[in-house]
Amino acid sequence: MAGRRIEIRGTVQGVGFRPWVYRVARSAGLVGRVRNAPAGVTIEAFGADAVLDRFIEQLQADPPPSARLVDLRSVPIPAEDLDDFVIESSDAVGDKALSIPPDLATCTDCEVEVLDPDDRRYGYAFTNCTTCGPRFTIATGIPYDRAATTMSAFDMCIACRREYDDVEDRRFHAQPNACPECGPSLSLVGLGGDPVAVADPLEATVALLKYGSVVAIKGLGGFHLACDANNSEAVRLLRTRKHRDEKPFAVMVAGLDAARRIAELTPEEEALLTAPERPVVLVRAREKTGVAVEVSPETSLLGLFFPYTPLHHLLMAALDGPLVMTSANVSDEPICRDNEEAKRRLEGIADAILLHDRDIAMRCDDSVVRVIAGTPTIMRRSRGFVPRPFYLARPVSRPVLACGAHLKNTFCIASGDTAYFGPHIGDLETVAALEFFEEAIDRMQTILAIRPEVVAHDLHPGYLSTRYARARTDAVSVGVQHHHAHVVSLMAEHGIHGPVLGVAYDGTGYGEDGTSWGGEFLLCFPGRFDRLATFRPVCLPGGDLAMREVWRITYALLHDAFDGQPPIETLPLFDDIAPESIRVVSQMIERELNSPQARGVGRYFDGFGALALERPVSTYEGQIAIAWDHIASDTVRDAYPFALDRSRSPMEVDLRPAVRAAFEDVVAGVTPADVSGRFHNMLVTVTVEVVEALRAEVGSLPVALTGGVFQNARLVAGIGEKLSSKISLLRHSEVPPGDGGIALGQALIASAFLGDKG
Ligand code: ZN
Ligand code: ZN
Ligand code: FE
């Protein structure tokens, strides 16, 4: 007889882990106990040595699908003489800071029940169990049990209570457990918010969707706007009403067969689609599959995802075709959450709303993932991932809140050796977004039981997040440079303390000199950085207007490359631009009026892309870059020339030779595909050459690729191929490469700045 104490860390609470341990231990004939612990689960097991060894192997080899083991430590303890193996209740532990898991997609067992006419949960949209269902989005406090969720409004019926109390039942301690007798129910409201009397709201919704209507559907972390993805007219209607011109919509499909019919999928992509997090996966669409072109008008990238609630399963089973499912909001405001809010805000957008009476405690948008050069990369980390922790290789000495970036905002809270990203907030440009930001921070602080003593924020003085940070009187605020934060986020993801050679390419980020950076080569430590190289700045005549009217950037590039004499007469791009506008822009550049200098590589994508695609206007951030990436020719091997000005400090990449060469190509009628291919090849060469030049100075450090530009698969793959295989190349996977990923880096930098060993 021997004993072991086994401490497991990871996502092991609220996912059916303890009942599973109980069953495994019992079937092995072990006695002992399992209980939740602050960072995971603790098991004390007693039995023969060999049996204990096998038990530990089994714990690691075959955990429940939603559980994630980060580490397992086992130490021998004196044997105890017990009769049984038991699950100790969390109350007995007396620890409040137990973790809440992310929302979990409906498991196969529950899916089968919902579609089985003989089951008592047949057709029931709120079916869940110990291994699946809502978690984070219904949590109102800690510890995570029913009383601290929005399910507290419903009393379990006798049958549900019996399941909940029975340790052998698969609904043992499933906090949101419910059935048609006792749980939440659906209802349909029409235009104006009045209830529609229908026998079956779900059936009525399906009929409306088939008819071509736009229906708002309440989900897990917010409302979606849905319409038939095969119906061009319906998709166009949704675009008009949502004020969204060209940005692709996400599409829900019933399962793998349906997905394979409309997209070319790699095995990695299929694995992501079926993963318990159920993110939207960006994949390559097939042509002529019946999906309306209006879903994704100008790129073959399609955002696909699978049903993740019983409601979705029921809808998809009844519809038998793909469904547009896009966040219910106007433009870029936060996703709708409350029933009353949805009725108010979605008036004139949705023809009807499918509601239910289980409140959403925390908004949580769908997550987005893409396989980039073979690596699954989270582009937007929200529903299904939040609040799963990151374990820090070195703890922070004081609790930190990091406020994140201005666009695609997410914040991060770190304490000890764990860090938690909050949900996707979106662009912090509206009052509604700021309210969501503040409310989400409050709630995360509550459910994590963390009181930040340090608040990290971006260096930009005008950002709402900066003002929020500085207004917090209960904590010290620390400003963090944007690109430094990008690199340190990536270092943290890989558990590296530095130094690394960071390559941060994005659209914009406030530099230490008050100008806009975004083509940065930084020698990075957690607490500081040296800027070793950057790009020659691009002039943005009209400031933010140039991001939309991208022809202004092209003009400025030509103006710079041709010494003030841009040869625009021969370029079709400028045909439809009023001569007066061109004159004004020219004067702005020459007199340096409202023409900030920006070094973002993203701006070069805009300027070159507009030139070759003959597209003067971009309707959403990154639009030109995405279209431009997708048309690039795979067969073009050569690259545009560039210069490297080593006399400057930091060293400067000069793309004027490339501008001149691309201009010659466009005038000569070279296809946009070839121009794009040469442009991408050039950026690969630039990156590799500068990295190699800098490594000669700073030594053989790992190279970290980060920033929104590295969502571009062609660029990442090209650099990976060209860079010596001896160089360790760090890339994003769990932390988004774009601005949604910088909060983690901000937290660690602020912490290091205040004296933690960096
Ligand atoms: Zn289930
Ligand atoms: Zn019930
Ligand atoms: Fe950025």
Side-chain angles (χ1 to χ4, degrees):
M1 189 79 169
R4 301 281 165 82
R5 178 178 296 117
I6 304 157
E7 285 173 351
I8 297 173
R9 295 210 310 174
T11 303
V12 286
Q13 295 175 14
V15 294
F17 193 76
R18 286 177 308 153
W20 174 77
V21 169
Y22 167 88
R23 284 191 288 272
V24 174
R26 279 206 150 181
S27 69
L30 294 170
V31 296
R33 55 185 79 91
V34 55
R35 62 172 174 267
N36 282 331
V41 158
T42 300
I43 303 164
E44 286 162 356
F46 308 98
D49 252 322
V51 180
L52 285 168
D53 287 343
R54 217 173 318 124
F55 174 61
I56 290 171
E57 267 168 39
Q58 209 175 340
L59 291 177
Q60 288 166 299
D62 183 32
S66 309
R68 277 170 68 102
L69 274 60
V70 173
D71 64 35
L72 180 151
R73 266 172 244 174
S74 126
V75 290
I77 52 170
E80 287 179 36
D81 191 16
L82 303 171
D83 296 332
D84 210 348
F85 195 92
V86 294
I87 299 178
E88 286 188 344
S89 80
S90 298
D91 304 343
V93 187
D95 198 320
K96 291 220 157 237
L98 300 178
S99 66
I100 296 170
D103 298 288
L104 306 164
T106 306
C107 71
T108 325
D109 291 342
C110 287
E111 188 190 335
V112 167
E113 282 183 5
V114 166
L115 299 172
D116 172 8
D118 295 329
D119 195 277
R120 77 181 187 99
R121 288 190 173 84
Y122 176 58
Y124 186 53
F126 305 92
T127 302
N128 65 83
C129 73
T130 309
T131 57
C132 81
R135 299 287 188 272
F136 174 66
T137 53
I138 58 166
T140 54
I142 48 168
Y144 173 70
D145 63 32
R146 191 169 175 111
T149 70
T150 58
M151 280 301 290
S152 63
F154 302 90
D155 286 328
M156 268 185 262
C157 67
I158 294 168
C160 286
R161 170 60 68 181
R162 199 176 295 136
E163 296 163 340
Y164 182 90
D165 287 334
D166 179 2
V167 69
E168 300 284 357
D169 195 278
R170 64 183 198 84
R171 296 201 161 88
F172 175 66
H173 283 189
Q175 306 304 344
N177 189 25
C179 78
E181 283 298 305
C182 65
S185 55
L186 294 168
S187 59
L188 191 69
V189 301
L191 285 171
D194 295 325
V196 185
V198 287
D200 185 342
L202 195 98
E203 214 169 78
T205 301
V206 169
L208 282 167
L209 290 168
K210 283 185 173 164
Y211 175 75
S213 301
V214 173
V215 184
I217 297 172
K218 187 173 181 179
L220 215 46
F223 284 71
H224 284 108
L225 286 165
C227 73
D228 180 354
N230 288 345
N231 183 335
S232 283
E233 227 168 288
V235 182
R236 246 183 319 216
L237 188 69
L238 176 55
R239 283 209 178 273
T240 317
R241 292 184 184 170
K242 201 176 138 94
H243 300 296
R244 187 144 123 172
D245 295 337
E246 282 150 339
K247 212 170 176 176
F249 285 138
V251 172
M252 186 174 275
V253 287
L256 270 179
D257 288 342
R260 287 176 185 144
R261 266 198 297 279
I262 60 178
E264 292 165 27
L265 302 176
T266 64
E268 290 96 343
E269 287 163 348
E270 294 192 354
L272 289 171
L273 282 167
T274 50
E277 296 87 2
R278 289 288 197 283
V280 173
V281 185
L282 298 180
V283 296
R284 187 175 280 273
R286 290 183 194 279
E287 280 174 40
K288 301 199 180 72
T289 57
V291 174
V293 283
E294 289 83 357
V295 167
S296 178
E298 53 179 15
T299 147
S300 58
L301 265 195
L302 191 60
L304 284 190
F305 61 148
F306 282 7
Y308 54 84
T309 69
L311 176 57
H312 297 152
H313 282 289
L314 292 165
L315 273 173
M316 297 313 292
L319 272 167
D320 163 68
L323 197 63
V324 166
M325 288 281 268
T326 181
S327 300
N329 52 13
V330 187
S331 301
D332 293 317
E333 295 212 323
I335 188 169
C336 283
R337 184 185 70 173
D338 296 341
N339 291 354
E340 291 310 313
E341 178 195 3
K343 288 181 199 167
R344 196 178 63 241
R345 280 174 61 196
L346 300 178
E347 208 187 325
I349 299 180
D351 297 309
I353 309 178
L354 182 61
L355 289 177
H356 62 69
D357 51 358
R358 185 180 70 201
D359 286 341
I360 298 170
M362 182 79 105
R363 279 189 191 89
C364 210
D365 259 289
D366 293 317
S367 295
V368 181
V369 180
R370 184 181 179 191
V371 178
I372 298 177
T375 306
T377 311
I378 300 179
M379 318 264 281
R380 179 203 280 174
R381 198 174 189 282
S382 204
R383 195 244 331 132
F385 294 99
V386 175
R388 186 190 293 165
F390 279 90
Y391 294 99
L392 305 174
R394 260 188 233 181
V396 294
S397 59
R398 287 196 273 171
V400 195
L401 162 70
C403 292
H406 183 60
L407 299 178
K408 302 182 177 65
N409 179 278
T410 51
F411 58 86
C412 176
I413 295 177
S415 175
D417 68 349
T418 41
Y420 305 83
F421 272 105
H424 168 77
I425 305 286
D427 298 349
L428 271 185
E429 297 198 304
T430 59
V431 176
L434 184 66
E435 281 171 2
F436 175 25
F437 172 77
E438 295 186 1
E439 179 200 318
I441 289 175
D442 276 351
R443 201 171 279 270
M444 283 285 281
Q445 287 182 180
T446 304
I447 63 170
L448 298 171
I450 295 174
R451 280 275 134 205
E453 293 169 23
V454 180
V455 179
H457 61 83
D458 194 85
L459 282 184
H460 198 299
Y463 285 173
L464 294 178
S465 55
T466 303
R467 288 188 214 160
Y468 166 86
R470 293 196 176 146
R472 274 190 69 143
T473 50
D474 57 345
V476 189
S477 68
V478 179
V480 174
Q481 203 280 321
H482 184 96
H483 304 94
H484 186 203
H486 268 305
V487 179
V488 175
S489 277
L490 182 52
M491 287 164 65
E493 184 178 347
H494 291 271
I496 288 179
H497 291 279
V500 306
L501 183 54
V503 182
Y505 289 173
D506 62 5
T508 184
Y510 198 79
E512 288 186 319
D513 54 4
T515 70
S516 171
W517 295 5
E520 311 305 316
F521 294 79
L522 310 174
L523 172 63
C524 283
F525 302 83
R528 63 190 169 89
F529 68 94
D530 289 326
R531 191 175 184 218
L532 303 179
T534 183
F535 278 64
R536 182 180 170 85
V538 185
C539 174
L540 304 179
D544 283 350
L545 190 56
M547 318 273 212
R548 223 183 86 73
E549 296 187 4
V550 280
W551 66 268
R552 291 165 179 255
I553 300 178
T554 312
Y555 185 91
L557 288 174
L558 291 165
H559 192 278
D560 190 27
F562 288 91
D563 296 323
Q565 305 292 325
I568 59 166
E569 310 74 34
T570 45
L571 293 173
L573 170 67
F574 296 95
D575 283 354
D576 295 330
I577 313 288
E580 178 57 22
S581 300
I582 296 178
R583 199 158 46 243
V584 170
V585 162
S586 172
Q587 284 174 1
M588 284 173 127
I589 296 172
E590 275 152 25
R591 297 182 192 162
E592 296 177 21
L593 290 170
N594 189 21
S595 294
Q597 304 276 317
R599 297 177 190 269
V601 171
R603 299 288 87 86
Y604 280 102
F605 272 89
D606 288 341
F608 277 80
L611 172 71
L613 297 170
E614 296 170 12
R615 297 258 317 236
V617 172
S618 161
T619 60
Y620 63 92
E621 134 115 298
Q623 182 185 25
I624 298 273
I626 293 168
W628 180 229
D629 170 11
H630 262 253
I631 60 148
S633 156
D634 292 319
T635 50
V636 169
R637 289 277 148 239
D638 57 333
Y640 288 130
F642 60 90
L644 203 54
D645 187 348
R646 290 166 186 261
S647 67
R648 287 173 181 271
S649 179
M651 191 190 290
E652 208 168 89
V653 177
D654 181 353
L655 295 187
R656 284 177 297 177
V659 173
R660 290 189 287 266
F663 166 81
E664 299 293 341
D665 269 0
V666 171
V667 170
V670 172
T671 63
D674 285 4
V675 176
S676 179
R678 286 179 185 136
F679 174 80
H680 280 86
N681 293 347
M682 168 201 66
L683 272 182
V684 168
T685 316
V686 164
T687 310
V688 171
E689 275 191 25
V690 175
V691 160
E692 278 166 3
L694 294 176
R695 279 167 59 94
E697 289 172 28
V698 299
S700 48
L701 303 176
V703 174
L705 301 184
T706 184
V709 167
F710 288 111
Q711 295 172 12
N712 181 313
R714 188 173 298 274
L715 198 56
V716 174
I719 293 170
E721 276 165 33
K722 278 249 175 121
L723 211 56
S724 156
S725 58
K726 276 176 257 155
I727 299 177
S728 132
L729 192 63
L730 308 180
R731 288 173 45 195
H732 284 279
S733 174
E734 286 280 319
V735 177
D739 286 359
I742 77 166
L744 177 61
Q746 288 179 333
L748 299 184
I749 293 166
S751 183
F753 178 78
L754 290 175
D756 289 358
K757 289 239 156 51

